[in-house]
Amino acid sequence: MPRVQAHWIKNLRTMVRQEHGRGWTIDGVTSGGIYKTRINLENPNGRTSCVLPLEWSAKNQTEILNAVKRIRSTMEERQINSLSKAAKFDLKLERDTKTNKPTLTGWEACKADFLKSRSDRRKTTLRDIEGRLKKAVLLLESKPKPKDSKELFEKYRDRYFTDKMPAGSSGRLQAVNVISQFLTHSFEEFGLDKVWLPPTKKYLSEKIILQSDRTSEEALTPPIQSNELESFMAVLEKEKNYSLRLCVGLMGCYGLRPSEFGVLTADNGKLFVGQVKRNINTMRRNKAAKPQRVIPVDPPNMKGEGARLLAQYESGLVKLPLAVTNAIKRVDKEFKETKKRSYKPIGDAIRQLLQRHWYWKNLEKQKAGLVPYSLRHGFAYRCHVEIENPISVTEVAGLMRHTPDTHTKHYARWIDEAALERAVERLTSDQKVQV
C-alpha cells in the first residue's frame, strides 16, 4: 500500500466515523495472503476488532459500510461487547443483498451447523432429527414463506401432522422440540432475527401439539399378563422352538429391554445387564456404567422358570435365535468401526420374530398396541398386581433399572389399582374378624 492515504480510504473512514462515532475505525490487514478489511472499536470496555472476508479495496466500499452497520446493530441488539463474536453471527449466513435477510443457503447453513452440534447422538436419533429439519427447511423455502416461527410451526402442523401423528402424540412433541432447538441454535449462533425464536410453550401446546383425545389407559402400552406368557411359553415348548422361548422367557421373567440382549452376561448363576439406556448424560460419561444384576419374578404357575432359563443361557445348551445373535454381532462390529453403538437392530430382530409367530399375531388382535416391550411391562404388572405379596415401587424400579419417579410415571395406574385392591382386602378381612 502507498504511504499516502488513498482518497477512497479517507472518505470511507469519515463516513464510518460520522455514522457510528469516533470509536469506530477501519483499515486493511494482510490475512491468508489477501489484504482484508479490519474493523476496530475503542470503547469503555477496551479495544476490540475483527477481520472481514472482504478485500480492502475501493470496489468493496459499499459492502464494507453495510458490514459495519450490521455488526454494530448485532452488538447492540444482543448486548455483545466483542466485534469478533458479532461478526461471527453476521458472517455465518449468506444474505440477500436487497433485504439483508438470510437466504435459503443461510437456512441450509443453520441446519448443517445444528446437525454438527448433535453429532454425538446415536445414528437413529440423528436420522430422525435430520428428517424433521429437512421438512422444516422445505417449508422455510416454499412460497409463501413463513415470516416468523409461529407461521413455520403452523405450516408444519398442517402439512405433516396427519392422522398418523394424532394430537398429543409423542411424534408431535418430538418434532416440536427438534424444531424449537434448531431455531434457538440458529438465533444464538447465526444471529437470526428474534421473530425466529420459538413461540411460548403454552402456544405450542395449545396450537401445535394439541391435546390427545385418547384416555391414559388407551395410551399405555398393554402388558403381557402372566397367563398369556405361560401359554406362549408352553406353545414354544411344544413347537420345540427353544431359542425363541429363551428370548421371550428372559424378557418376561426378568423384565429385560430388547436392547439389553446386547449387553447380557451370566456369571456363576447370576444374570447381569450393561448400560443401554441412552440420553445426553449417559452418552457423555467417560466411564462405562457397572453392569447391574437382574432378578426374575416368575409367573405364578411357572415357579423357578427364571432360574431354569438362566441355566440354559449360561451353559449355552440353548442359544438365542440366530437373527438376534447376528444383530448383536452387527452392533458390536459397528461399535468397533465407529465407536458408536445403536441397539436398534436387536430390537428389530426380536420384533420381527414375534410378529411372524401365530400366537403373537392372535395376541395383537386382542391387545391393540402390543409390542415386544409388552413383555417388560408384563413384568411390572406381575410385580404390582398379579403376585400375592406385591412389591413396593422402589423395589420394582430397582429390579427394572430405572428410578422410582420414572416407574411411577409409566405404571402409576397399576400401582394405584393394586393399592386399592389391597386396601379392600384388608377391610374385608377386618370385617370378617369382627363378625
Side-chain angles (χ1 to χ4, degrees):
M1 290 294 292
R3 291 183 180 277
V4 178
Q5 189 179 96
H7 185 66
W8 71 270
I9 296 176
K10 183 177 180 179
N11 288 341
L12 191 61
R13 286 174 172 167
T14 299
M15 285 188 283
V16 168
R17 185 168 58 251
Q18 288 176 345
E19 184 171 356
H20 303 289
R22 298 187 64 86
W24 290 82
T25 60
I26 52 175
D27 59 14
V29 294
T30 301
S31 176
I34 302 175
Y35 210 50
K36 295 181 179 179
T37 301
R38 180 172 64 185
I39 305 175
N40 308 290
L41 173 62
E42 291 276 359
N43 60 27
N45 297 311
R47 179 184 173 87
T48 179
S49 64
C50 67
V51 178
L52 306 179
L54 284 173
E55 183 182 357
W56 181 245
S57 169
K59 66 181 180 181
N60 289 330
Q61 292 180 73
T62 301
E63 286 79 1
I64 293 171
L65 286 172
N66 288 338
V68 174
K69 184 177 181 179
R70 288 198 308 269
I71 291 172
R72 180 190 174 188
S73 176
T74 299
M75 292 180 72
E76 292 174 350
E77 288 179 2
R78 307 173 77 86
Q79 298 182 343
I80 298 172
N81 293 324
S82 169
L83 266 175
S84 59
K85 188 171 183 180
K88 170 189 169 186
F89 289 131
D90 182 71
L91 298 173
K92 264 191 173 181
L93 284 175
E94 292 184 16
R95 295 174 177 270
D96 186 311
T97 54
K98 293 181 179 179
T99 64
N100 196 34
K101 293 182 179 179
T103 65
L104 302 184
T105 303
W107 283 116
E108 287 293 344
C110 290
K111 185 180 88 170
D113 195 71
F114 179 76
L115 289 172
K116 184 179 179 181
S117 73
R118 299 299 191 270
S119 60
D120 60 348
R121 303 317 197 256
R122 57 185 173 184
K123 186 188 299 183
T124 51
T125 301
L126 274 177
R127 183 191 63 201
D128 292 341
I129 292 173
E130 190 166 5
R132 288 165 179 139
L133 292 187
K134 183 178 179 180
K135 294 175 181 177
V137 171
L138 179 63
L139 293 174
L140 288 165
E141 296 177 356
S142 302
K143 295 182 179 180
K145 298 178 183 179
K147 68 177 184 297
D148 56 28
S149 63
K150 283 187 177 181
E151 282 197 6
L152 171 61
F153 276 108
E154 290 167 4
K155 285 178 176 290
Y156 197 100
R157 176 199 62 201
D158 296 341
R159 175 77 66 85
Y160 299 113
F161 289 170
T162 61
D163 293 340
K164 294 182 179 180
M165 197 177 291
S169 65
S170 60
R172 287 199 181 203
L173 179 61
Q174 290 165 5
V176 166
N177 286 342
V178 166
I179 297 171
S180 295
Q181 292 164 8
F182 165 65
L183 292 175
T184 301
H185 178 90
S186 299
F187 172 78
E188 293 175 348
E189 296 297 326
F190 288 79
L192 291 185
D193 191 280
K194 291 180 180 179
V195 299
W196 293 110
L197 282 173
T200 63
K201 290 183 179 180
K202 185 174 185 294
Y203 173 86
L204 291 173
S205 176
E206 294 179 354
K207 301 295 184 181
I208 308 301
I209 300 172
L210 306 179
Q211 295 297 316
S212 173
D213 56 4
R214 294 193 304 168
T215 65
S216 59
E217 183 173 346
E218 292 171 332
L220 188 65
T221 301
I224 294 290
Q225 296 182 14
S226 290
N227 65 313
E228 294 165 336
L229 176 61
E230 292 165 357
S231 297
F232 195 13
M233 296 280 281
V235 166
L236 294 171
E237 178 84 24
K238 185 176 181 180
E239 295 175 345
K240 298 183 179 181
N241 192 344
Y242 302 120
S243 293
L244 184 56
R245 187 181 187 278
L246 175 64
C247 184
V248 169
L250 288 174
M251 291 178 66
C253 292
Y254 286 86
L256 296 183
R257 301 177 177 94
S259 58
E260 288 177 332
F261 282 104
V263 288
L264 191 65
T265 57
D267 182 29
N268 197 26
K270 296 178 181 178
L271 197 62
F272 299 87
V273 295
Q275 176 70 51
V276 296
K277 192 67 176 177
R278 292 165 64 98
N279 53 43
I280 194 60
N281 294 321
T282 60
M283 291 173 71
R284 288 178 176 171
R285 287 176 186 159
N286 293 324
K287 294 180 66 176
K290 183 180 178 181
Q292 294 178 277
R293 186 183 174 191
V294 288
I295 301 173
V297 176
D298 297 323
N301 297 318
M302 297 184 75
K303 298 299 182 183
E305 183 62 29
R308 286 191 291 272
L309 292 167
L310 171 55
Q312 293 174 355
Y313 179 75
E314 185 174 13
S315 67
L317 291 175
V318 179
K319 300 184 182 299
L320 293 172
L322 183 60
V324 176
T325 302
N326 288 339
I328 294 171
K329 290 178 180 178
R330 289 198 303 274
V331 169
D332 292 339
K333 181 181 178 181
E334 181 183 20
F335 178 72
K336 289 179 181 178
E337 294 174 351
T338 66
K339 300 304 178 185
K340 294 182 180 180
R341 197 190 299 270
S342 170
Y343 295 96
K344 188 174 184 298
I346 300 173
D348 289 343
I350 294 173
R351 174 177 50 79
Q352 289 171 6
L353 287 170
L354 291 174
Q355 289 179 341
R356 290 170 183 167
H357 196 279
W358 65 268
Y359 186 88
W360 189 267
K361 290 180 180 179
N362 286 342
L363 284 178
E364 286 180 320
K365 294 177 182 177
Q366 301 168 26
K367 293 175 172 281
L370 191 71
V371 292
Y373 231 86
S374 295
L375 289 162
R376 174 172 164 84
H377 292 327
F379 178 90
Y381 188 80
R382 186 178 316 124
C383 290
H384 289 300
V385 179
E386 294 181 330
I387 60 178
E388 290 183 8
N389 298 305
I391 308 172
S392 71
V393 171
T394 303
E395 291 169 333
V396 181
L399 290 172
M400 298 185 72
R401 302 164 302 288
H402 54 214
T403 66
D405 286 345
T406 298
H407 192 82
T408 303
K409 175 182 176 182
H410 291 287
Y411 304 116
R413 181 171 61 88
W414 300 337
I415 296 168
D416 293 343
E417 176 183 309
L420 287 172
E421 289 178 351
R422 290 195 298 275
V424 171
E425 287 177 3
R426 287 196 300 270
L427 178 62
T428 304
S429 177
D430 291 343
Q431 289 175 340
K432 288 181 179 178
V433 170
Q434 291 175 3
V435 172

